[in-house]
Amino acid sequence: MKKISKMNQDHTDPLPQIDELDEKILRLITKNARIPFLEVARECGVSGAAIHQRVQRLLNLGVVSGSEFIVNPSKLGYNTCAYMGLFLDKAKYHTQVVEALKKIPEVVECHYTTGSYAIFIKIQTKTNNHLKRIIDEELQEIDGLARTETFISLEMEFKRQVPIK
C-alpha cells in the first residue's frame, strides 16, 4: 500500500496520509458526488462500511468538504461572467474591501493575490449593463478601492478539479 505524505506549502504541518484506496475513492466521488457508497465499494472491492469510514475520515481531515449541486448561471439568466482585478488605495484596506465585496451577491469568488492586483474577483451578472451598474453603483463606492480592471469571459472552455494521483 503506497502512502503519500508531503509537507503543506507552509512546511509546518504534514499533509494527511492518503493511500491508493483513498485516491480511488476521491476520483469516483469527485466525478459524481451523488454516487452511492455501495457502487464506490464495488468499484474499489471493499465493503460499503469501509467506504463510509474512508469518506468520513477524508471529510474530517479536510481533504474533501461536503458535496454540492452546481448551478448553471446562464439557466438563471446570468449571462455575463467577468473577472476583475482590484487595486487598493493602501494595503491596509484589504479586509474592509473584502467585507464590502461579501455584501455583493454577484461577486462569486474573491482571491487575495500577488502581482498587479491586490484582489481578484469573479462576478456573474445578467447583462453587460448589469455589470456596469455593479461597477458604478457598488464597487466604486467601496472605501479603499482605488480602481478596477475588468475582463469579460466570452466562454468557459473547461473547469476541473485538481488531479488525484
Side-chain angles (χ1 to χ4, degrees), residues 12-31:
T12 57
D13 298 326
L15 291 173
Q17 294 288 316
I18 304 294
D19 63 20
E20 290 174 10
L21 177 57
D22 291 326
E23 289 176 357
K24 189 167 188 176
I25 293 166
L26 287 168
R27 279 192 295 275
L28 291 166
I29 66 175
T30 56
K31 282 182 190 166

Side-chain angles (χ1 to χ4, degrees), residues 84-100:
M84 300 177 77
L86 308 182
F87 296 88
L88 302 180
D89 288 325
K90 293 184 179 177
K92 72 178 185 176
Y93 294 123
H94 171 263
T95 302
Q96 77 183 44
V97 169
V98 170
E99 289 306 311

Side-chain angles (χ1 to χ4, degrees), residues 111-125:
H111 302 268
Y112 187 34
T113 62
T114 62
S116 297
Y117 314 114
I119 299 171
F120 202 72
I121 63 172
K122 179 179 178 181
I123 184 168
Q124 292 278 173
T125 59

Side-chain angles (χ1 to χ4, degrees), residues 15 37 43 47 53 74 98 103 109 119 122:
L15 291 173
F37 281 177
E43 290 278 332
S47 71
Q53 290 172 347
S74 66
V98 170
K103 296 175 184 171
E109 287 184 26
I119 299 171
K122 179 179 178 181

Side-chain angles (χ1 to χ4, degrees), residues 16-154:
Q17 294 288 316
I18 304 294
D19 63 20
E20 290 174 10
L21 177 57
D22 291 326
E23 289 176 357
K24 189 167 188 176
I25 293 166
L26 287 168
R27 279 192 295 275
L28 291 166
I29 66 175
T30 56
K31 282 182 190 166
N32 177 7
R34 298 181 70 186
I35 188 170
F37 281 177
L38 287 177
E39 191 174 328
V40 176
R42 278 193 290 277
E43 290 278 332
C44 294
V46 297
S47 71
I51 296 301
H52 187 273
Q53 290 172 347
R54 290 287 188 122
V55 170
Q56 190 59 53
R57 179 178 156 273
L58 292 168
L59 283 163
N60 291 341
L61 291 171
V63 173
V64 292
S65 56
S67 60
E68 62 185 347
F69 289 100
I70 307 299
V71 172
N72 180 339
S74 66
K75 297 293 184 184
L76 297 176
Y78 289 87
N79 295 309
T80 299
C81 173
Y83 295 88
M84 300 177 77
L86 308 182
F87 296 88
L88 302 180
D89 288 325
K90 293 184 179 177
K92 72 178 185 176
Y93 294 123
H94 171 263
T95 302
Q96 77 183 44
V97 169
V98 170
E99 289 306 311
L101 291 169
K102 287 179 183 178
K103 296 175 184 171
I104 304 171
E106 292 87 353
V107 175
V108 296
E109 287 184 26
C110 178
H111 302 268
Y112 187 34
T113 62
T114 62
S116 297
Y117 314 114
I119 299 171
F120 202 72
I121 63 172
K122 179 179 178 181
I123 184 168
Q124 292 278 173
T125 59
K126 294 191 177 215
T127 63
N128 288 353
N129 285 334
H130 182 193
L131 175 62
K132 183 180 180 312
R133 186 185 60 73
I134 296 291
I135 293 168
D136 292 345
E137 297 174 15
E138 297 189 52
L139 291 172
Q140 295 300 331
E141 296 300 315
I142 297 173
D143 288 334
L145 182 60
R147 65 184 178 94
T148 63
E149 189 169 323
T150 305
F151 308 88
I152 293 179
S153 171
L154 299 176

